[in-house]
Amino acid sequence: MKTQGHALILTMSILLCLLFPFSLFAAEGKDPESLISTTCSTCHKFQGEGESRFNLKAPDLMWGGSKFQRDWLIKWLTGKEPMLYAKSYRWDQSQQPEQHMTVSQQEAEGLADYFETHLQDPRVKPGSIDMSTFSKQEAKFGEEIFTQHSCIGCHQIMVDGKKTGGPQSASFFNSGKRLKADWIYRFNSGPPDFVPHSGEFVGDVSALGLRYVTGFIATRGDEDFPYYEPWKSSKFDHPNVENGAKIYQEYCAQCHGAEGKGDGPAASGLEPKPAVHANIPFEKIPLDYLYNVIYYGGKAVGKSPLMPYWGLTIGETEGVSDVIAYLKTTFKGAPEVASTASPSSGPSGVCPQPRNTKQAPGKFRNLTSPLPDSQEHIKAGEKLYHETAQPLACTQCHGPKGDGQGPMGAALNPHPRNFTCGETMKDISDGQMYWIIKNGSAGTGMMAFSGMPDDQIWQVIQYLRTLAQ
C-alpha cells in the first residue's frame, strides 16, 4: 500500500504537469535536493543536454545557476514576480497563461543557493560581457538590433511605457533583473545550443552587435542600471591637445577642412554640408553629445549618416578625448553675419525664412496633437527644448529665443529654423513639425529625435507655438 501510495502521488504530479505545466501547488519544509527530486523534476530537467521545447513540459534548468539572478529567483519561487509567458511555455498545446508552484521563503533561498552551487554551465564564461562599460548609446543600438532582427516578433519589451512585441516567448519586461548578462551573451551566440529545434532564431550580427543586443536585454526593467558615461571617466582628465590636432588633420579635415571651415576635399559632394567647426563655440556644447557624435557617428545621434563613427579608428583615450580637447581649445565660435549668407539659405533670425523642406506624408502632415493645450504641457516642452531633449537640447541649434541662433546654429547650412517668425510658422502644421522632429530633415543639420516619446514631441510643439511673433 505504501508503494502504491507513492506511485499514486507521483502519477498525480506528472498528470498535473501534463495538464498544467506550471500548476500551483505548495511544497513545504523540504530541503533543496528533496524539492528538486520529488517536485521540480516532474516538470523540469536538471541534468543532461538541452532538448527541444516540444519534448519538454517546462524549461530546462540544468544551467539555472548560470542563467538566473538570485534575488529574482527567490521572488519568483515565492510568487512575487509576474509570469514570464503571456501564453503557455508549450504554446503548441495551450494559449492560456499558467501559474507556477510556490515555496516558502526559506525553501526559495535554499533552492537559489543550490542553483548557484550545482547548476552552472561551463559554456557560460564569467566576464563574457563587461556591463560596467555599457552605455545608453549602446543600449539604443541594441534596441535597434532587437527590432531589426525580429527578436521583437516573439519577445515583448516596453516601448514608451507600452507593451510591444509578440507574446509567444518569455517577456523581457524585467529581463535585466532576471537574467545574468553572461548567460544572455552565450545564449545569443547560439540559441539552438540550449533549445534545439524549438523555433529559436539565430541572428546575423557582429561581435559588437552581440554586445549591444545582449546589454539591451540585460538592462530591461532595471531603472537604476549605472550606464557608463566615458566622458566622465578619468581617461578624459588629461587629454593631449597636440595629438588631437594631429588626428583632426588626418581624419576630420577631410570633410570639415584644415581650419574647420567646412571646406574639406570631400565637402563638395556632400549634402548636407559638413558643419563649420570654426563657427562653433565648442565649450558650450554638451560633452556627451560631442563624445557620441565622434565615437558613434552622425547617424547615432540623429544627424547625417555621412559622418562616420570614428571610435574604432582613433580610439577612446588617445582619440576621442584628444579631439574634443582640440575642438574646445581651437574653435571659440564666430558671430553670424546675416548679410553675407545666401538669401536662399534663410539666415538665422531672418523673417520670413525661405526653406525648401520636404513635406511629410499626408497622414502625418495632417496629424493633430492628442494632448490638450495646457500650461503644464508647455512647461514640459520648454524644459525639453532648453535642457533635456535627447540626443541634444533644441536650444543648442535653435537658440534660447528660438530664433535659430544657438551655439551650433552658425555652423549649419542651411541655418536652423527661426521659430519666432510667425509668417513662416503659420504655414507649418503640427503634423509637419512632428514628422520633422521624429525623422529629421534631409539636406539640413536637423537631427532625428527618433527615440523621443510621442508625448514629449507634442509638448515641444506646444512650446514652439508660443515663440512665434
Side-chain angles (χ1 to χ4, degrees), residues 203-385:
D204 180 14
V205 297
S206 66
L208 269 178
L210 181 61
R211 170 183 167 84
Y212 295 156
V213 73
T214 295
F216 170 71
I217 296 170
T219 54
R220 295 310 87 201
D222 188 356
E223 293 81 5
D224 298 321
F225 180 80
Y227 286 105
Y228 178 53
E229 297 180 326
W231 50 89
K232 293 182 179 179
S233 71
S234 59
K235 299 175 184 178
F236 279 68
D237 289 344
H238 305 288
N240 185 327
V241 176
E242 290 184 4
N243 185 54
K246 180 180 177 181
I247 293 173
Y248 190 92
Q249 295 305 319
E250 290 177 348
Y251 298 99
C252 313
Q254 298 174 90
C255 294
H256 297 284
E259 297 179 359
K261 296 180 179 180
D263 58 355
S268 61
L270 302 181
E271 289 293 340
K273 296 300 181 185
V276 181
H277 289 162
N279 288 351
I280 300 177
F282 276 95
E283 283 290 347
K284 296 182 180 180
I285 309 303
L287 195 54
D288 59 336
Y289 173 80
L290 290 177
Y291 177 90
N292 286 330
V293 74
I294 296 171
Y295 194 95
Y296 295 114
K299 186 178 180 181
V301 296
K303 299 283 282 185
S304 171
L306 300 174
M307 166 70 180
Y309 52 94
W310 288 110
L312 299 180
T313 304
I314 65 177
E316 181 179 276
T317 307
E318 290 87 14
V320 177
S321 63
D322 293 347
V323 168
I324 290 176
Y326 171 75
L327 292 172
K328 288 187 172 185
T329 302
T330 307
F331 303 120
K332 304 297 184 179
E336 182 181 353
V337 182
S339 61
T340 64
S342 167
S344 63
S345 71
S348 301
V350 166
C351 182
Q353 184 184 38
R355 181 72 58 77
N356 294 320
T357 302
K358 182 179 179 181
Q359 282 203 332
K363 66 177 182 178
F364 290 98
R365 192 166 63 252
N366 298 324
L367 282 178
T368 56
S369 174
L371 304 179
D373 291 340
S374 71
Q375 284 301 312
E376 180 182 358
H377 289 313
I378 290 172
K379 284 292 183 184
E382 182 178 17
K383 184 174 181 64
L384 286 161
Y385 179 96

Side-chain angles (χ1 to χ4, degrees), residues 302-304 398 412 433 436-449:
K303 299 283 282 185
S304 171
H398 296 281
L412 304 179
M433 279 199 282
I436 294 296
I437 294 172
K438 196 76 170 177
N439 299 283
S441 182
T444 77
M446 173 60 189
M447 63 183 64
F449 289 78

